[in-house]
Amino acid sequence: MKSFNKTLLAVAVALASSQTLASGFQLNSQSATGMGRAFAGDAVIADNASVLSRNPAAMALFDKDAISFGLTYADITVDVKDVNFAGGAYDLGSIDDAGSSKVIPNIFYIHPIDDKLAVGFAAFSNFGTGTDASSLSKNLPAGSPAPYDLLGETEVTTVNFNASVSYRINDMFSIGAGLDAVYGEGRLTRNMGTTPLVDVDADGWAFGGIVGATVELDKDNRFGISYRFSPTVNVKGDINTITTKDLSAVGLGSKTMLATSFDSLDVPLADIFQVAGFHQITPKFALHYTAQYTQWGNFDQITAKDGVATIMPGQTGAGTQLQAGDVALKEYQWKDSWLFSLGGTYTINEQFTVRAGYMHDQGVVDEISSISFPDSDRNWYTAGMSYHINPQNTLDFGIAYIKGQEVHLIENSALTGRVNAITESSGMYYSVQYSYQF
């Protein structure tokens, strides 16, 4: 037994913070209106308070208090097929759906103080999903080897609390800035029979920020730009692993089994830059678009901090504690990625507005792939509708179908060597939202 590959552990804790990828998806769920137009132009459209999640400067476009709150149901499917190792000698079979579903709430409030200054507050989730690949190991006869270090259950939930301020410089330019306080919690287990190889229950806070600007050429044409600063997150909790290490140099065994506990994990996250445009082409039809650049190239590895290892029973020196220090649990070497979306909005009458959009979202996995992270390029196909009850009250609905590419991958298990698999991700998002302008 060698040091166990902590792929899913690292992913689980990495996701416990700012906007990121989950089971091959960049989770966009901040509003039903955004969902319906594939989030095209969301940094500047400002048709309700949810614009606060994309660009604080866009609060300057409001002259009245506004509140929005809603729910998104994310039904994510992760198919893992033809999993085998030892050159195909062992076949683990397939899982039709290793993903899970989540209900993701959000709330936004914008308060213009005067014709120059506005403040806003928001709470929304940037990630909420889970995967479970543990059933693959049950397809083998008892006593057969299996890549237990790659298979198991992962559950992560995050909440982003934001406070922002905007300032209108003149009729054309506005600027804004905000503080993000992100709370994340994650649970992960990896078991080999009754032996827990990885057992994690961690949570923590991280603080980042966002700055933005808007440019209004006229009432029908405007642009928005924003940059979100993502921190390195230190997540604390019960972080326990079992590894094997050669300690013969200090008079112990060459394959000494160690139970190691870490105080925390350091997770570097990606900064996000986006630019958006909105154009009212006719009195009834508007065109809008977004380009977003995410610096996932900064996400190189997960570092476990201040580890203490204990020699397990039945071995020479059992019970002896050793300082493990800081350990790089997993290297990723992800690449920076782009997201492009295009949408249109059509006003039928005073009561009904419809919208649709398309998004292409590039995957971040480069040369190092993972069964636990079936990432790929994704295409979003979306539609939505608004029902304006009256000038102050609006109900919004959005739906999205997301399709990822099929990926043939090889991942190395510390227990079985090379593991081959085919993974594919897809999903349906359903979103509803209520907005009120005072």
Side-chain angles (χ1 to χ4, degrees):
M1 189 181 301
K2 301 177 182 178
S3 295
F4 293 104
N5 185 315
K6 315 297 190 315
T7 302
L8 284 178
L9 164 63
V11 171
V13 180
L15 293 177
S17 62
S18 179
Q19 183 174 9
T20 185
L21 300 172
S23 300
F25 291 99
Q26 183 166 16
L27 182 59
N28 291 292
S29 61
Q30 289 79 15
S31 71
T33 46
M35 184 77 65
R37 55 183 172 244
F39 299 94
D42 258 29
V44 74
I45 290 182
D47 48 0
N48 56 64
S50 65
V51 71
L52 187 54
S53 67
R54 301 284 175 165
N55 185 2
M59 293 191 297
L61 300 174
F62 290 77
D63 56 9
K64 297 179 181 178
D65 285 24
I67 188 170
S68 294
F69 55 87
L71 296 171
T72 295
Y73 176 73
D75 185 9
I76 296 173
T77 300
V78 181
D79 293 332
V80 184
K81 300 179 288 186
D82 299 332
V83 184
N84 64 84
F85 60 95
Y90 294 94
D91 186 1
L92 295 177
S94 304
I95 301 178
D96 291 335
D97 187 4
S100 65
S101 302
K102 289 289 178 184
V103 175
I104 308 165
N106 57 72
I107 185 169
F108 307 91
Y109 174 66
I110 293 174
H111 172 61
I113 296 175
D114 54 33
D115 59 355
K116 292 286 188 180
L117 196 65
V119 295
F121 304 93
F124 54 95
S125 178
N126 279 324
F127 177 84
T129 191
T131 58
D132 187 358
S134 58
S135 63
L136 286 171
S137 61
K138 299 176 182 178
N139 296 333
L140 292 174
S144 298
Y148 296 103
D149 52 332
L150 306 184
L151 310 176
E153 184 178 359
T154 304
E155 189 76 22
V156 178
T157 303
T158 69
V159 181
N160 188 328
F161 299 94
N162 173 274
S164 295
V165 61
S166 69
Y167 181 77
R168 176 173 287 281
I169 299 173
N170 54 39
D171 289 343
M172 180 177 290
F173 298 105
S174 301
I175 56 175
L179 175 68
D180 291 327
V182 183
Y183 172 76
E185 58 182 6
R187 172 71 178 156
L188 182 142
T189 58
R190 298 291 175 270
N191 298 311
M192 185 171 63
T194 59
T195 302
L197 304 180
V198 179
D199 188 1
V200 176
D201 190 356
D203 65 351
W205 287 89
F207 294 91
I210 183 171
V211 296
T214 62
V215 179
E216 301 170 69
L217 301 182
D218 53 44
K219 66 181 182 64
D220 293 329
N221 298 276
R222 55 186 183 268
F223 300 92
I225 187 172
S226 68
Y227 192 97
R228 175 160 258 125
F229 301 90
S230 299
T232 293
V233 184
N234 184 259
V235 184
K236 301 178 184 292
D238 296 326
I239 304 167
N240 304 303
T241 66
I242 295 177
T243 59
T244 298
K245 188 174 183 179
D246 184 356
L247 297 179
S248 57
V250 293
L252 299 173
S254 61
K255 295 183 179 180
T256 301
M257 292 187 66
L258 302 173
T260 306
S261 297
F262 297 94
D263 286 344
S264 63
L265 296 175
D266 275 352
V267 184
L269 295 173
D271 290 353
I272 300 170
F273 168 79
Q274 66 177 302
V275 60
F278 171 85
H279 306 283
Q280 192 72 44
I281 306 298
T282 72
K284 288 185 174 291
F285 177 73
L287 183 70
H288 28 85
Y289 45 85
T290 288
Q292 177 176 292
Y293 181 71
T294 307
Q295 291 183 312
W296 279 119
N298 297 331
F299 188 70
D300 53 357
Q301 69 180 33
I302 303 297
T303 304
K305 309 286 288 185
D306 301 323
V308 176
T310 303
I311 298 177
M312 297 183 67
Q315 304 173 97
T316 302
T320 302
Q321 289 191 338
L322 307 170
Q323 293 298 317
D326 298 347
V327 177
L329 294 183
K330 174 68 178 178
E331 290 189 5
Y332 287 92
Q333 299 179 18
W334 283 355
K335 61 183 179 181
D336 298 341
S337 67
W338 280 96
L339 174 157
F340 302 97
S341 64
L342 177 68
T345 299
Y346 184 78
T347 301
I348 298 175
N349 52 40
E350 292 183 355
Q351 281 193 305
F352 294 100
T353 301
V354 294
R355 55 187 61 88
Y358 166 76
M359 177 195 297
H360 178 72
D361 185 10
Q362 294 179 339
V364 300
V365 172
D366 199 1
E367 295 181 0
I368 301 176
S369 56
S370 172
I371 295 173
S372 64
F373 209 106
D375 186 51
S376 70
D377 290 359
R378 294 162 295 277
N379 293 304
W380 292 57
Y381 307 92
T382 74
M385 181 189 74
S386 294
Y387 171 56
H388 307 284
I389 302 170
N390 55 44
Q392 287 76 41
N393 296 272
T394 302
L395 283 175
D396 299 296
F397 306 91
I399 186 172
Y401 171 67
I402 306 99
K403 181 65 174 177
Q405 296 178 344
E406 186 176 84
V407 177
H408 295 251
L409 59 85
I410 298 173
E411 185 173 13
N412 289 316
S413 166
L415 302 177
T416 64
R418 287 164 52 117
V419 177
N420 300 280
I422 299 173
T423 62
E424 187 174 6
S425 300
S426 61
M428 292 293 301
Y429 289 174
Y430 308 90
S431 189
V432 61
Q433 173 183 313
Y434 168 74
S435 297
Y436 181 80
Q437 287 205 3
F438 294 83

